[in-house]
Amino acid sequence: GRDHTASVVQSGSDNDATVTQRGSNQDANVLQTGNFNAVAIDQSGSNHSASVSQYSSGNTANVTQSGNGHTAVVVQGVAP
């Protein structure tokens, strides 16, 4: 694919993030500040945006986007 962006920021311990992007113009952002969190983002098609923020511990988020032009926002826990 082409024109993809992915940003993963992790603090804490034992966090896991997987981002898979196919197609074109995908954007994915992950922020994990707790412990033992997991995120999987799978984007195919074009023009998708996904944002996952995990502020506490023991969270799991899975985002799958296919087709065109979808937006997903997931927030788990309370932002500091």
Side-chain angles (χ1 to χ4, degrees):
R2 61 177 175 46
D3 298 320
H4 303 305
T5 60
S7 172
V8 177
V9 177
Q10 296 172 309
S11 62
S13 61
D14 296 302
N15 292 309
D16 182 55
T18 302
V19 177
T20 303
Q21 296 173 312
R22 297 174 304 282
S24 61
N25 299 315
Q26 316 292 11
D27 182 50
N29 296 288
V30 176
L31 172 63
Q32 297 171 309
T33 62
N35 303 310
F36 303 102
N37 294 306
V39 172
I41 297 173
D42 188 336
Q43 297 172 311
S44 62
S46 62
N47 301 312
H48 300 305
S49 175
S51 174
V52 178
S53 300
Q54 296 174 316
Y55 297 106
S56 53
S57 297
N59 298 298
T60 300
N62 296 299
V63 176
T64 302
Q65 296 173 309
S66 61
N68 298 301
H70 300 296
T71 300
V73 177
V74 178
V75 178
Q76 296 175 307
V78 178

